[in-house]
Amino acid sequence: MKIALFNNNQIGVVQGDRVIDIGDLISWDKSNPQTSLENLMTNYEDLKAKIVEYIPSGTTYPLSEVKLQAPVPNPSKIVAAPINYILHRNEMNEQFHTSPSTVDKLGFFLKSPSSIIGPDDTVLLPFRDRRTDHEAEIAFVVGKQAKDVPAHEAKDYIFGYLALMDITVRGKEDRPWRKSFDTFTPIGPWIVTGDEVENPNQLDMKLWVGEELRQSTNTENLIYDCYRFFEAVTSVMTLYPGDIVTTGTPEGVGPITEGDTVRIHIDRIGEFSVNVQYKVGV
Ligand code: MN
């Protein structure tokens, strides 16, 4: 199932080129979409059949006429992998030759949840004299509280998947500083539940700036795949329903500038674009 947040915090299920509003069925509170989403995820197994039954009678909208919002509006945290594809490690000149992944050496980092934006929103560049890059990533949203979960059980805790851009200022500051500016975490276009994605560790992923293809990989090239990264994260911290975990970017990262349109596509998940401008006053 594809679960979308749209217009003014309405909740819907996407089927083909339409979105069906399921708010009335699940007592959705538009004034608190994050908590409502967490309730939906917690009760999803019970609600799933009711949602399927409700869909033919629900109010529907053409996708082309709605404004999609970030499908997870305000997680308690965003956990991110530093370098998790071998070819990206090489392009970043990371000096960890004895280990395949910097996850082994550096662990992982947090991005500020306030950096989240949605499809068709605008990334605001904070500097004219520093390079800011796109990073295409597959991310997932946690469905159940999780601590010390082995990789082979991770699937039971992951509610669904989404595409994520980890926008990053290059430089020597710590990663959370360089990656947490407001607007630096575009997510979308919706959440695709795990049952519909099937294997998240074997999906084509691409990112374009304008018409130029910048990044193209398959998630089978992840060093720590979604499940193993989940194990690594939960060995350190408790994950709560609604938290986002993003798995790192492949090779091909590059700069973005004012006027660019950046588009990400992941098979079985979908695609969305964002615009790029300088922040007012810089
Ligand atoms: Mn990244």
Side-chain angles (χ1 to χ4, degrees), residues 24 51-52 65 72 92 108 135 194 207 222 230 264 273 280:
D24 287 345
I51 293 171
V52 171
E65 292 176 17
V72 185
M92 300 311 285
F108 39 83
E135 296 190 350
L207 181 142
L222 279 162
F230 191 89
I264 185 171
S273 301
V280 172

Side-chain angles (χ1 to χ4, degrees), residues 171-212:
K172 292 195 183 305
E173 296 88 354
D174 281 348
R175 285 180 172 86
W177 186 93
R178 293 188 289 106
K179 293 166 173 281
S180 288
F181 288 87
D182 284 1
T183 74
F184 270 26
T185 310
I187 58 171
W190 35 66
I191 301 166
V192 184
T193 52
D195 55 346
E196 192 164 316
V197 168
E198 292 179 1
N199 183 3
N201 302 312
Q202 199 163 43
L203 297 174
D204 283 336
M205 176 167 73
K206 291 183 166 67
L207 181 142
W208 297 259
V209 176
E211 297 301 310
E212 182 189 355

